[in-house]
Amino acid sequence: MKFRSDPSVIRGSLAPVVTPFTAEGAVDHDSLRALVRWQLDSGSHGISLGGSTGEPSAQSVAERIAAMRTAADEIADRVPFLPGTGSAKLDETLELTAAAAELGADAALVITPYYARPTQEALYRWYATVAREFPDLPLVVYNVPSRTAVAIEPETVRRLFTDFDNIVGVKETTKDFEHFSRVIHACGPELLVWSGIELLCLPLMALGGAGFISAVANLAPAAVARMYELWEQGDHAGARELHYRLHPLVDLLFVETNPAPAKWVLARQGRIASEHVRPPLTAPTEAGLERIRALLAAGGDLTQQL
């Protein structure tokens, strides 16, 4: 909560941690605590929970709030906490965001409502409602059209950023890199923009990005954090070297639907107790595992702290 008053400091690698489940399918709070500790020990600059990598749509509101509570307790204000609080339903989004505010989150990551495919005006009104309800909580728009079937356009982000002081940034998870530039151009450099596309994390920094909320931080948190730090220190060659070394792990994440491959690796490494993903996701197939093992062999050295 100590970073809430100045969200401009929420920068760097904000690790979007998976939500561990037991083999029977319950949320595994012990493994979640262990993951958060590992992220902090590895130098991640912040923690996110409940974005796409956290399987939020497969959890109840109560489960998501309980997981936020565990993460917030373990983080203990050492780094910024940016939980995902969005849902396809407005009442759930408001309930989750209220819980995040109460638990001391520094900002809330609110996904565009999925499946319904609202218009840009409807998206504006959706985010305006959340912003008015929580005027003292910084809000980050989460644009991930591959999962939601709707993209929030630069002009809509500009309207929201102009009209509401607590709408401070956007997580862009689109492979349209021109879109990144247009959002920053429309809003100005004060808008905080994080990349959720792994191979666009480093390129975004050249446009003035605030950092990354990248799933590959689940496997190589120290390397992802270091890539940001090297860029900020002016060692662009060193940052590029890490960017390319991370390629195999990025490919590993998406051999099958994220986060199933990442959870398989984390379970094999003993960082979580089970690789369980909730339906409709499934554990990696045998064919998928063959590819995952090969990619892990190619990039697995980065899963150790640098």
Side-chain angles (χ1 to χ4, degrees):
M1 187 172 182
K2 73 178 183 181
F3 305 98
R4 187 185 295 182
S5 62
D6 183 11
S8 67
V9 303
I10 305 177
R11 295 176 177 271
S13 174
L14 313 182
V17 298
V18 303
T19 303
F21 301 122
T22 66
E24 294 73 32
V27 177
D28 182 351
H29 290 268
D30 290 340
S31 288
L32 178 57
R33 284 186 180 276
L35 281 182
V36 171
R37 286 195 298 270
W38 181 49
Q39 289 291 337
L40 296 176
D41 290 345
S42 299
S44 289
H45 307 111
I47 302 292
S48 185
L49 176 71
S52 302
T53 300
E55 299 175 76
S57 61
Q59 298 174 59
S60 69
V61 169
E63 286 177 319
R64 292 178 66 181
I65 292 173
M68 281 194 281
R69 181 175 293 110
T70 294
D73 181 65
E74 193 64 40
I75 294 164
D77 269 343
R78 286 177 283 179
V79 298
F81 181 37
L82 182 67
T85 63
S87 167
K89 297 176 64 180
L90 183 59
D91 61 338
E92 291 183 353
T93 298
L94 295 176
E95 182 179 358
L96 287 158
T97 307
E102 181 181 349
L103 291 169
D106 297 286
L109 180 68
V110 182
I111 197 169
T112 52
Y114 36 90
Y115 187 77
R117 302 183 70 180
T119 64
Q120 293 301 303
E121 179 61 26
L123 287 173
Y124 175 86
R125 295 183 187 184
W126 175 280
Y127 282 105
T129 300
V130 181
R132 291 189 185 104
E133 187 75 16
F134 305 100
D136 298 322
L137 180 66
L139 301 176
V140 176
V141 174
Y142 182 11
N143 185 39
V144 54
S146 66
R147 288 186 181 261
T148 64
V150 64
I152 188 164
E153 295 177 358
E155 175 58 21
T156 307
V157 177
R158 186 201 64 77
R159 287 179 65 196
L160 290 165
F161 185 60
T162 300
D163 293 351
F164 299 98
D165 290 341
N166 58 326
I167 293 182
V168 300
V170 58
K171 176 186 177 182
E172 287 290 355
T173 308
T174 170
K175 292 184 178 181
D176 179 2
F177 197 53
E178 182 177 307
H179 178 90
F180 286 69
S181 186
R182 292 192 181 280
V183 167
I184 295 172
H185 182 247
C187 298
E190 294 80 15
L191 181 75
L192 301 170
V193 182
W194 296 269
S195 175
I197 295 291
E198 281 63 35
L199 297 185
L200 293 182
C201 286
L202 187 60
L204 174 63
M205 299 306 295
L207 299 180
F212 340 124
I213 308 177
S214 169
V216 77
N218 278 287
L219 300 181
V224 179
R226 185 62 177 152
M227 182 171 68
Y228 173 84
E229 292 164 0
L230 289 171
W231 177 270
E232 287 295 290
Q233 293 164 9
D235 185 357
H236 297 168
R240 280 195 300 271
E241 179 186 1
L242 276 177
H243 166 85
Y244 288 115
R245 287 177 63 194
L246 283 163
H247 264 245
L249 295 181
V250 172
D251 291 344
L252 183 159
L253 290 174
F254 304 105
V255 167
E256 293 180 8
T257 305
N258 175 51
K263 281 189 161 184
W264 184 88
V265 173
L266 290 169
R268 291 305 176 278
Q269 293 176 336
R271 301 198 185 279
I272 58 177
S274 169
E275 67 190 64
H276 186 90
V277 289
R278 284 186 175 175
L281 299 185
T282 61
T285 63
E286 284 303 318
L289 287 176
E290 182 178 355
R291 180 67 175 147
I292 288 168
R293 291 188 182 99
L295 290 165
L296 187 60
D301 61 310
L302 289 182
T303 66
Q304 308 302 314
Q305 292 187 9
L306 294 179

Short mmCIF file of all heavy atoms in Angstrom, two decimals, residues 33-76:
data_model
loop_
_atom_site.label_atom_id
_atom_site.label_comp_id
_atom_site.label_asym_id
_atom_site.label_seq_id
_atom_site.Cartn_x
_atom_site.Cartn_y
_atom_site.Cartn_z
N ARG A 33 2.66 -18.73 -1.29
CA ARG A 33 3.61 -18.00 -0.46
C ARG A 33 5.05 -18.27 -0.92
O ARG A 33 5.88 -17.34 -1.01
CB ARG A 33 3.45 -18.39 1.00
CG ARG A 33 2.26 -17.79 1.70
CD ARG A 33 2.25 -18.12 3.18
NE ARG A 33 1.11 -17.53 3.85
CZ ARG A 33 1.06 -16.28 4.29
NH1 ARG A 33 2.12 -15.49 4.12
NH2 ARG A 33 -0.01 -15.81 4.88
N ALA A 34 5.34 -19.53 -1.20
CA ALA A 34 6.69 -19.89 -1.64
C ALA A 34 7.04 -19.20 -2.96
O ALA A 34 8.17 -18.74 -3.15
CB ALA A 34 6.82 -21.40 -1.76
N LEU A 35 6.09 -19.15 -3.88
CA LEU A 35 6.34 -18.48 -5.15
C LEU A 35 6.63 -16.99 -4.95
O LEU A 35 7.54 -16.43 -5.57
CB LEU A 35 5.15 -18.65 -6.08
CG LEU A 35 4.98 -19.97 -6.81
CD1 LEU A 35 3.76 -19.90 -7.72
CD2 LEU A 35 6.23 -20.32 -7.63
N VAL A 36 5.83 -16.35 -4.12
CA VAL A 36 6.04 -14.92 -3.88
C VAL A 36 7.41 -14.69 -3.25
O VAL A 36 8.15 -13.78 -3.66
CB VAL A 36 4.91 -14.35 -2.99
CG1 VAL A 36 5.24 -12.92 -2.56
CG2 VAL A 36 3.58 -14.37 -3.75
N ARG A 37 7.79 -15.52 -2.29
CA ARG A 37 9.12 -15.38 -1.67
C ARG A 37 10.22 -15.54 -2.71
O ARG A 37 11.22 -14.80 -2.70
CB ARG A 37 9.29 -16.41 -0.54
CG ARG A 37 8.52 -16.08 0.72
CD ARG A 37 9.02 -16.92 1.89
NE ARG A 37 8.83 -18.34 1.68
CZ ARG A 37 7.74 -19.02 2.04
NH1 ARG A 37 6.72 -18.38 2.62
NH2 ARG A 37 7.65 -20.31 1.84
N TRP A 38 10.07 -16.53 -3.59
CA TRP A 38 11.08 -16.75 -4.64
C TRP A 38 11.17 -15.54 -5.55
O TRP A 38 12.28 -15.11 -5.93
CB TRP A 38 10.73 -18.01 -5.43
CG TRP A 38 11.71 -18.34 -6.51
CD1 TRP A 38 13.06 -18.40 -6.41
CD2 TRP A 38 11.40 -18.64 -7.88
NE1 TRP A 38 13.62 -18.74 -7.63
CE2 TRP A 38 12.63 -18.89 -8.54
CE3 TRP A 38 10.21 -18.75 -8.60
CZ2 TRP A 38 12.68 -19.22 -9.90
CZ3 TRP A 38 10.27 -19.08 -9.95
CH2 TRP A 38 11.49 -19.32 -10.58
N GLN A 39 10.04 -14.97 -5.91
CA GLN A 39 10.05 -13.78 -6.76
C GLN A 39 10.77 -12.62 -6.08
O GLN A 39 11.59 -11.92 -6.70
CB GLN A 39 8.61 -13.36 -7.12
CG GLN A 39 7.89 -14.30 -8.07
CD GLN A 39 8.46 -14.25 -9.48
OE1 GLN A 39 9.09 -13.27 -9.88
NE2 GLN A 39 8.23 -15.31 -10.24
N LEU A 40 10.51 -12.42 -4.81
CA LEU A 40 11.16 -11.33 -4.08
C LEU A 40 12.66 -11.59 -3.96
O LEU A 40 13.48 -10.67 -4.16
CB LEU A 40 10.52 -11.18 -2.70
CG LEU A 40 9.05 -10.76 -2.70
CD1 LEU A 40 8.51 -10.75 -1.28
CD2 LEU A 40 8.85 -9.41 -3.36
N ASP A 41 13.02 -12.82 -3.65
CA ASP A 41 14.44 -13.16 -3.53
C ASP A 41 15.17 -13.02 -4.87
O ASP A 41 16.38 -12.78 -4.90
CB ASP A 41 14.61 -14.60 -3.03
CG ASP A 41 14.20 -14.77 -1.58
OD1 ASP A 41 14.07 -13.74 -0.87
OD2 ASP A 41 14.00 -15.92 -1.16
N SER A 42 14.42 -13.20 -5.97
CA SER A 42 15.02 -13.14 -7.31
C SER A 42 15.12 -11.73 -7.85
O SER A 42 15.67 -11.52 -8.93
CB SER A 42 14.21 -14.01 -8.28
OG SER A 42 14.21 -15.36 -7.87
N GLY A 43 14.57 -10.76 -7.15
CA GLY A 43 14.70 -9.37 -7.57
C GLY A 43 13.56 -8.81 -8.38
O GLY A 43 13.69 -7.71 -8.95
N SER A 44 12.43 -9.52 -8.47
CA SER A 44 11.28 -8.95 -9.18
C SER A 44 10.90 -7.63 -8.53
O SER A 44 10.92 -7.49 -7.29
CB SER A 44 10.09 -9.92 -9.17
OG SER A 44 10.37 -11.03 -10.00
N HIS A 45 10.51 -6.68 -9.35
CA HIS A 45 10.25 -5.33 -8.85
C HIS A 45 8.83 -5.15 -8.36
O HIS A 45 8.50 -4.08 -7.81
CB HIS A 45 10.55 -4.32 -9.95
CG HIS A 45 11.92 -4.47 -10.53
ND1 HIS A 45 12.14 -4.92 -11.81
CD2 HIS A 45 13.15 -4.28 -9.98
CE1 HIS A 45 13.44 -4.97 -12.04
NE2 HIS A 45 14.08 -4.60 -10.95
N GLY A 46 7.99 -6.13 -8.56
CA GLY A 46 6.60 -6.08 -8.12
C GLY A 46 5.95 -7.42 -8.37
O GLY A 46 6.52 -8.29 -9.05
N ILE A 47 4.76 -7.60 -7.79
CA ILE A 47 4.02 -8.85 -7.92
C ILE A 47 2.62 -8.55 -8.43
O ILE A 47 1.93 -7.66 -7.91
CB ILE A 47 3.93 -9.60 -6.58
CG1 ILE A 47 5.31 -9.89 -6.01
CG2 ILE A 47 3.09 -10.87 -6.73
CD1 ILE A 47 6.12 -10.89 -6.79
N SER A 48 2.20 -9.31 -9.43
CA SER A 48 0.81 -9.29 -9.87
C SER A 48 0.23 -10.68 -9.65
O SER A 48 0.96 -11.68 -9.62
CB SER A 48 0.72 -8.89 -11.35
OG SER A 48 -0.63 -8.77 -11.74
N LEU A 49 -1.06 -10.76 -9.45
CA LEU A 49 -1.74 -12.03 -9.22
C LEU A 49 -3.15 -11.90 -9.76
O LEU A 49 -3.79 -10.86 -9.60
CB LEU A 49 -1.79 -12.33 -7.71
CG LEU A 49 -2.56 -13.59 -7.29
CD1 LEU A 49 -1.79 -14.84 -7.69
CD2 LEU A 49 -2.82 -13.59 -5.79
N GLY A 50 -3.62 -12.95 -10.42
CA GLY A 50 -5.00 -12.92 -10.89
C GLY A 50 -5.19 -12.36 -12.28
O GLY A 50 -6.32 -12.10 -12.70
N GLY A 51 -4.07 -12.16 -13.02
CA GLY A 51 -4.21 -11.89 -14.44
C GLY A 51 -4.41 -13.20 -15.18
O GLY A 51 -4.66 -14.24 -14.56
N SER A 52 -4.27 -13.19 -16.48
CA SER A 52 -4.58 -14.39 -17.28
C SER A 52 -3.77 -15.60 -16.82
O SER A 52 -4.30 -16.72 -16.76
CB SER A 52 -4.30 -14.11 -18.75
OG SER A 52 -5.06 -13.01 -19.21
N THR A 53 -2.50 -15.39 -16.47
CA THR A 53 -1.65 -16.49 -16.04
C THR A 53 -2.12 -17.11 -14.73
O THR A 53 -1.78 -18.25 -14.42
CB THR A 53 -0.19 -16.00 -15.92
OG1 THR A 53 0.23 -15.51 -17.20
CG2 THR A 53 0.76 -17.09 -15.48
N GLY A 54 -2.91 -16.37 -13.96
CA GLY A 54 -3.40 -16.85 -12.67
C GLY A 54 -4.71 -17.60 -12.72
O GLY A 54 -5.25 -17.93 -11.66
N GLU A 55 -5.23 -17.88 -13.92
CA GLU A 55 -6.48 -18.64 -14.09
C GLU A 55 -7.65 -18.03 -13.29
O GLU A 55 -8.41 -18.74 -12.62
CB GLU A 55 -6.29 -20.09 -13.68
CG GLU A 55 -5.26 -20.85 -14.51
CD GLU A 55 -5.01 -22.25 -13.99
OE1 GLU A 55 -5.86 -23.14 -14.21
OE2 GLU A 55 -3.94 -22.44 -13.35
N PRO A 56 -7.87 -16.73 -13.38
CA PRO A 56 -8.93 -16.13 -12.56
C PRO A 56 -10.34 -16.59 -12.92
O PRO A 56 -11.19 -16.71 -12.03
CB PRO A 56 -8.76 -14.63 -12.82
CG PRO A 56 -8.11 -14.56 -14.17
CD PRO A 56 -7.19 -15.74 -14.22
N SER A 57 -10.59 -16.84 -14.20
CA SER A 57 -11.96 -17.21 -14.59
C SER A 57 -12.34 -18.60 -14.13
O SER A 57 -13.52 -18.97 -14.18
CB SER A 57 -12.12 -17.10 -16.11
OG SER A 57 -11.23 -17.97 -16.78
N ALA A 58 -11.36 -19.38 -13.65
CA ALA A 58 -11.65 -20.72 -13.13
C ALA A 58 -11.78 -20.71 -11.61
O ALA A 58 -11.87 -21.77 -10.99
CB ALA A 58 -10.56 -21.69 -13.55
N GLN A 59 -11.77 -19.52 -11.01
CA GLN A 59 -11.87 -19.41 -9.56
C GLN A 59 -13.10 -18.60 -9.15
O GLN A 59 -13.56 -17.74 -9.90
CB GLN A 59 -10.62 -18.73 -9.00
CG GLN A 59 -9.32 -19.46 -9.23
CD GLN A 59 -8.14 -18.65 -8.78
OE1 GLN A 59 -8.04 -18.27 -7.62
NE2 GLN A 59 -7.22 -18.37 -9.70
N SER A 60 -13.58 -18.88 -7.96
CA SER A 60 -14.67 -18.08 -7.41
C SER A 60 -14.12 -16.75 -6.92
O SER A 60 -12.90 -16.59 -6.72
CB SER A 60 -15.34 -18.82 -6.25
OG SER A 60 -14.46 -18.90 -5.13
N VAL A 61 -14.99 -15.79 -6.71
CA VAL A 61 -14.58 -14.50 -6.17
C VAL A 61 -13.92 -14.70 -4.81
O VAL A 61 -12.88 -14.10 -4.50
CB VAL A 61 -15.78 -13.55 -6.07
CG1 VAL A 61 -15.42 -12.30 -5.26
CG2 VAL A 61 -16.26 -13.15 -7.47
N ALA A 62 -14.49 -15.56 -3.98
CA ALA A 62 -13.93 -15.80 -2.64
C ALA A 62 -12.51 -16.38 -2.74
O ALA A 62 -11.62 -16.00 -1.95
CB ALA A 62 -14.83 -16.74 -1.86
N GLU A 63 -12.30 -17.29 -3.68
CA GLU A 63 -10.96 -17.87 -3.84
C GLU A 63 -9.97 -16.81 -4.30
O GLU A 63 -8.82 -16.77 -3.82
CB GLU A 63 -11.00 -19.00 -4.87
CG GLU A 63 -11.64 -20.28 -4.36
CD GLU A 63 -11.72 -21.34 -5.43
OE1 GLU A 63 -12.04 -21.00 -6.59
OE2 GLU A 63 -11.47 -22.51 -5.11
N ARG A 64 -10.37 -15.95 -5.20
CA ARG A 64 -9.47 -14.91 -5.69
C ARG A 64 -9.11 -13.93 -4.57
O ARG A 64 -7.96 -13.51 -4.46
CB ARG A 64 -10.11 -14.17 -6.87
CG ARG A 64 -10.26 -15.02 -8.12
CD ARG A 64 -10.94 -14.27 -9.26
NE ARG A 64 -10.13 -13.16 -9.74
CZ ARG A 64 -10.52 -12.34 -10.72
NH1 ARG A 64 -11.71 -12.53 -11.31
NH2 ARG A 64 -9.75 -11.35 -11.11
N ILE A 65 -10.08 -13.58 -3.75
CA ILE A 65 -9.80 -12.67 -2.63
C ILE A 65 -8.87 -13.32 -1.62
O ILE A 65 -7.93 -12.69 -1.12
CB ILE A 65 -11.12 -12.21 -1.98
CG1 ILE A 65 -11.90 -11.31 -2.95
CG2 ILE A 65 -10.84 -11.48 -0.66
CD1 ILE A 65 -13.29 -10.94 -2.47
N ALA A 66 -9.10 -14.59 -1.34
CA ALA A 66 -8.23 -15.30 -0.39
C ALA A 66 -6.80 -15.36 -0.91
O ALA A 66 -5.83 -15.21 -0.14
CB ALA A 66 -8.77 -16.70 -0.13
N ALA A 67 -6.64 -15.60 -2.21
CA ALA A 67 -5.30 -15.63 -2.80
C ALA A 67 -4.64 -14.25 -2.73
O ALA A 67 -3.44 -14.13 -2.45
CB ALA A 67 -5.36 -16.12 -4.25
N MET A 68 -5.41 -13.20 -2.99
CA MET A 68 -4.87 -11.84 -2.85
C MET A 68 -4.40 -11.59 -1.43
O MET A 68 -3.35 -10.98 -1.20
CB MET A 68 -5.93 -10.80 -3.24
CG MET A 68 -6.12 -10.59 -4.72
SD MET A 68 -7.07 -9.09 -5.07
CE MET A 68 -8.74 -9.63 -4.74
N ARG A 69 -5.18 -12.06 -0.46
CA ARG A 69 -4.81 -11.86 0.94
C ARG A 69 -3.48 -12.55 1.25
O ARG A 69 -2.60 -11.97 1.92
CB ARG A 69 -5.91 -12.39 1.84
CG ARG A 69 -5.63 -12.20 3.34
CD ARG A 69 -6.81 -12.63 4.19
NE ARG A 69 -7.96 -11.75 3.98
CZ ARG A 69 -9.08 -12.10 3.35
NH1 ARG A 69 -9.20 -13.33 2.85
NH2 ARG A 69 -10.05 -11.24 3.21
N THR A 70 -3.32 -13.76 0.78
CA THR A 70 -2.07 -14.49 1.01
C THR A 70 -0.89 -13.77 0.38
O THR A 70 0.17 -13.59 1.01
CB THR A 70 -2.17 -15.92 0.44
OG1 THR A 70 -3.16 -16.64 1.18
CG2 THR A 70 -0.85 -16.65 0.50
N ALA A 71 -1.05 -13.33 -0.87
CA ALA A 71 0.04 -12.64 -1.56
C ALA A 71 0.38 -11.33 -0.87
O ALA A 71 1.56 -11.01 -0.65
CB ALA A 71 -0.34 -12.41 -3.01
N ALA A 72 -0.64 -10.56 -0.50
CA ALA A 72 -0.39 -9.27 0.15
C ALA A 72 0.34 -9.46 1.47
O ALA A 72 1.25 -8.69 1.81
CB ALA A 72 -1.71 -8.54 0.37
N ASP A 73 -0.04 -10.48 2.21
CA ASP A 73 0.60 -10.76 3.49
C ASP A 73 2.07 -11.12 3.29
O ASP A 73 2.94 -10.67 4.06
CB ASP A 73 -0.13 -11.89 4.20
CG ASP A 73 0.47 -12.21 5.56
OD1 ASP A 73 0.41 -11.34 6.45
OD2 ASP A 73 1.00 -13.32 5.72
N GLU A 74 2.36 -11.91 2.28
CA GLU A 74 3.74 -12.33 2.04
C GLU A 74 4.59 -11.17 1.48
O GLU A 74 5.76 -11.03 1.82
CB GLU A 74 3.77 -13.51 1.07
CG GLU A 74 5.10 -14.22 1.00
CD GLU A 74 5.50 -14.88 2.31
OE1 GLU A 74 4.63 -15.45 3.00
OE2 GLU A 74 6.70 -14.80 2.64
N ILE A 75 3.99 -10.35 0.63
CA ILE A 75 4.72 -9.21 0.05
C ILE A 75 5.07 -8.19 1.13
O ILE A 75 6.18 -7.65 1.16
CB ILE A 75 3.90 -8.56 -1.07
CG1 ILE A 75 3.75 -9.53 -2.25
CG2 ILE A 75 4.55 -7.26 -1.55
CD1 ILE A 75 2.67 -9.13 -3.23
N ALA A 76 4.10 -7.92 1.99
CA ALA A 76 4.31 -7.04 3.15
C ALA A 76 4.93 -5.69 2.76
O ALA A 76 5.86 -5.20 3.42
CB ALA A 76 5.16 -7.74 4.20
#
